[in-house]
Structures are given as C-alpha cells and as structure tokens.
Amino acid sequence: MTWNILVGGKSRSDSILDVIRRERPDVLALQELKGWSAARTREVAAELGMHAHLAPSTFGQPVAVLAREEPTRTRSIRWRLHHAAAVATIGDLTVVSTHLNPFSPERRRREATWLAACFFRTRRKVLIAGDLNSLDPVTDHAESLARVDARYRRRHLTPAGTVDTRAIKALLDAGFVDVGRGIGPTVPTAGLGGAEFGAFRLDYLMASPPLARLTRYVSVLRDEATDHASDHYPVVASFG
C-alpha cells in the first residue's frame, strides 16, 4: 500500500490509521510525513503492529516504509531529491518509498532517472512506490490538464508546452513496469481536493520484472473514509 497522507496527517491521523488497520498491508509506503520524528514513526508502527524506517528530508517532507516483517536492511536518501526516499529490504523484496519534485518537471525527471539507475535490477524484486507527481506517457491528459489553473498546469508541461511524462518514462525506459496502469486517478479526493489537481494518477507502484510478474491486482481505495483522510487516495496491490 502507498499513500500520501498530506502534511503529516494532522487532525486526520485517526482516520488515516483506521484505513490502514482496515487494509492491513504487509508493506506500507507513506509520503508527506511533515513533523514526523523517528520516535513518532515508531509509535505509529507499533500501533499498527509493524516495523518502520523514516527517511528525513533536507528540503521537503519525510517519507517512510513500514512493514510487518522486520527489514534486514534500511537506507535513507536525502540528497538529489526534493523530498526523500526510504529504502527497506524485506526478505527478497526491496521497497523504495519516495515523493518526487512537485514543482519542476525537469528536476522530477532527473530524480526519476537517478532512482531508476540506482534500484533497477533485472533479477531482483524491487518496488518504487509513492507520489511520483508525474503523468504517465500512455494516457490522454489533455482534458484533465485543461481544467487546471494555469499556475499549476505548468508543473506538468515541458518547456515546449507539451504534456510532461518524462519521469514515468525514465522509469519505464529503465525496465520498471507500471503495474497500476489503468487504475484511474489518485487525486483529487472528494473531500480534500486542491486547485492544483486535475483528475490525475500521481501515485504509482513501479515494479522490476520479477515482481511485476507476480502482480495479482492493483486498485485505488476510493470510499467515504479515504475521501476525507487526505488529498490523495491510497493505492493497494497484491503480489504472490
């Protein structure tokens, strides 16, 4: 499960935790953990019966990976990224929870290219999960973009004025598989949608081929609880 919980959850924390308890993910990637310390993250993980690894951010907001099985290795990446990446190895799976640059298409492309180069493995199970803030290269985004205020629309345009999909394309070109293709928009939610959003899919699960072959299903959790818990809907998947 991956979820951008919007600036640390704030007064919505109980609702967020209720959704997570209901879904009981084995692995959880969280983004926008503003104000979360390592102690706060461990406290939340204990409430959920999970282990946690928090990656602080130099310029933006922390991200984290939580898992029911204790990771054998963890790593935090702060440089090269506007936000951060939390990396956890759980059994034979490596999970990267990340949040790419929301403001600059070019910086977002560079972040995605660098992550792809660091983590793509043809024979290992790797999952890059999170708010990638990018549009995919296979969907027609014209109608959704046309409805977005021009101040925010440029976040998704190239210097030539075309739709910018380079971050996702960089991951695809490296060999990752977009296992959530076709699941529909993950923003905005019905209760907390913002002016910066069109009906976009910004939250992704990008899997290396050995993991992608094990995909059973991927879906967006849209219901009354998630309508008001964040401005992003959570994405869940099953592998096995």
Side-chain angles (χ1 to χ4, degrees):
M1 179 176 177
T2 183
W3 201 1
N4 177 328
I5 64 169
L6 182 59
V7 292
K10 296 186 174 181
S11 61
R12 296 165 282 106
S13 292
D14 287 344
S15 297
I16 290 166
L17 293 180
D18 285 345
V19 171
I20 296 170
R21 290 190 189 97
R22 181 190 74 189
E23 296 300 318
R24 288 190 55 80
D26 294 310
V27 179
L28 172 63
L30 292 178
Q31 302 87 46
E32 281 206 22
L33 303 183
K34 185 176 182 179
W36 283 41
S37 62
R40 164 64 173 158
T41 309
R42 288 193 298 268
E43 177 184 312
V44 169
E47 290 183 34
L48 297 170
M50 304 178 84
H51 303 273
H53 171 58
L54 178 76
S57 173
T58 300
F59 304 108
Q61 300 187 54
V63 299
V65 175
L66 283 70
R68 299 209 177 274
E69 180 181 334
E70 185 172 7
T72 55
R73 182 182 179 186
T74 59
R75 176 184 175 192
S76 298
I77 301 172
R78 302 169 72 171
W79 71 297
R80 289 184 179 266
L81 301 174
H82 175 81
H83 289 290
V87 186
T89 299
I90 306 130
D92 63 349
L93 172 67
T94 296
V95 178
V96 183
S97 173
T98 194
H99 186 181
L100 299 188
N101 193 300
F103 307 117
S104 168
E106 173 56 23
R107 291 180 181 178
R108 188 163 59 235
R109 180 198 65 78
R110 292 202 301 261
E111 290 177 346
T113 300
W114 184 75
L115 287 171
C118 286
F119 292 104
F120 182 74
R121 301 291 184 273
T122 57
R123 298 182 181 180
R124 292 179 58 186
K125 298 172 186 173
V126 180
L127 183 68
I128 294 181
D131 179 2
L132 303 189
N133 268 313
S134 181
L135 303 179
D136 70 76
V138 297
T139 302
D140 184 351
H141 303 286
E143 184 176 348
S144 293
L145 273 173
R147 296 177 179 175
V148 178
D149 188 291
R151 293 172 297 169
Y152 304 110
R153 191 183 310 136
R154 62 186 180 186
R155 297 179 181 181
H156 298 287
L157 298 177
T158 67
T162 58
V163 179
D164 185 85
T165 62
R166 291 174 296 167
I168 301 304
K169 189 174 186 302
L171 291 162
L172 295 173
D173 287 348
F176 280 97
V177 180
D178 178 7
V179 296
R181 178 177 173 178
I183 59 175
T186 61
V187 295
T189 57
L192 294 175
E196 72 270 29
F197 295 136
F200 298 149
R201 178 169 64 116
L202 300 182
D203 304 86
Y204 290 79
L205 295 170
M206 306 295 291
S208 63
L211 180 62
R213 287 192 287 269
L214 300 176
T215 307
R216 291 178 175 173
Y217 68 81
V218 182
S219 62
V220 182
L221 295 180
R222 301 184 188 92
D223 56 38
E224 186 174 353
T226 59
D227 279 346
H228 300 275
S230 177
D231 58 348
H232 288 242
Y233 287 110
V235 178
V236 294
S238 176
F239 302 92

